[in-house]
Amino acid sequence: MTMTDTSSALVLDRLDDAGRALLFTDARTANSFAPTPVSDEELADVWELAKWGPSAANTQPLRVLYVRTDEGRKRLVGHMSEGNRDKTASAPAVAVLALDRQFHEHIPTVLPFKPELRDVFAANDEMRSSTGQFSAAMQAGYFVLAVRAHGLAAGPMGGFDAGSLDADFFPDGRWKSILVVNIGHPGENAWFDRLPRLDHSDVITWA
């Protein structure tokens, strides 16, 4: 990141048109995948980028399970909704994004100037749950953008049986799945027609 000192303010660099298109305007959710492999190094790099997005009190409650083996893929596909099974079976890599319900245990590391917040969360289940769900959802969005930033297509899906998936992959109950993301290079007929977005007049107000 480059910052220019203009005496009264620091001016951040602006992502160019190609970068914005890659992440947003030209990016699509892939529904089929080519057999081109995705390496472990690429998947590790996705997280190394995604982890920098902000979360409440820097708590970072999101966890990632990369499903890579044939046995793991078969298990995962069994928990997916019928319309998501074929695409999950064909994706070179699949990420299960999950909330760590005990994320507060890491607070002395991630928020070293306020380690006592760990005990505050430990004593308040409702606050811990709401903070964790909110921040994990934000981090899931960063993860999808990080996949795109690495020149890969992402297929995020909520269509799965979270209860059975968690019982299978996270039997100790600490992690709770929130999103499944197929990852790879787009295959044949990967895109549906682009669906409309709301106009700014339907979304933005000013005060």
Side-chain angles (χ1 to χ4, degrees):
M1 178 175 64
T2 302
M3 297 184 292
T4 302
D5 188 350
T6 61
S7 72
S8 62
L10 292 175
V11 180
L12 301 177
D13 282 346
R14 175 184 172 94
L15 196 63
D16 63 18
D17 289 344
R20 294 198 297 274
L22 180 68
L23 296 182
F24 295 100
T25 56
D26 286 350
R28 306 291 297 277
T29 295
N31 292 287
S32 69
F33 293 88
T36 308
V38 175
S39 70
D40 289 352
E41 291 75 17
E42 287 178 292
L43 295 176
D45 286 346
V46 166
W47 177 250
E48 286 302 308
L49 185 59
K51 72 180 184 181
W52 294 106
S55 56
N58 200 39
T59 47
Q60 304 169 55
L62 192 72
R63 304 292 180 262
V64 182
L65 167 67
Y66 283 125
V67 180
R68 301 285 275 157
T69 66
D70 291 340
E71 184 270 339
R73 183 71 56 87
K74 183 177 180 180
R75 287 164 56 196
L76 179 60
V77 167
H79 303 298
M80 303 304 296
S81 301
E82 184 174 355
N84 291 330
R85 290 175 184 168
D86 288 345
K87 64 182 79 172
T88 301
S90 70
V94 186
V96 178
L97 306 187
L99 162 66
D100 180 359
R101 296 177 176 181
Q102 304 302 319
F103 66 87
H104 62 289
E105 292 181 357
H106 296 280
I107 284 177
T109 298
V110 299
L111 201 69
F113 61 85
K114 197 171 184 180
E116 66 273 16
L117 188 59
R118 175 179 59 185
D119 297 332
V120 175
F121 277 119
N124 191 324
D125 291 345
E126 182 178 354
M127 183 175 71
R128 186 172 71 251
S129 177
S130 62
T131 300
Q133 290 178 28
F134 172 75
S135 288
M138 287 200 301
Q139 288 189 285
Y142 310 145
F143 184 90
V144 171
L145 292 179
V147 170
R148 293 173 172 179
H150 281 81
L152 298 166
M157 300 170 294
F160 60 94
D161 186 331
S164 67
L165 187 156
D166 293 346
D168 188 356
F169 288 93
F170 313 131
D172 66 0
R174 176 165 175 153
W175 290 13
K176 178 178 173 57
S177 57
I178 61 173
L179 193 69
V180 175
V181 185
N182 292 328
I183 300 171
H185 297 274
E188 186 177 358
N189 299 319
W191 321 123
F192 296 149
D193 290 340
R194 171 74 83 180
L195 293 172
R197 267 38 179 189
L198 292 174
D199 186 77
H200 71 276
S201 62
D202 296 313
V203 176
I204 298 173
T205 58
W206 302 86

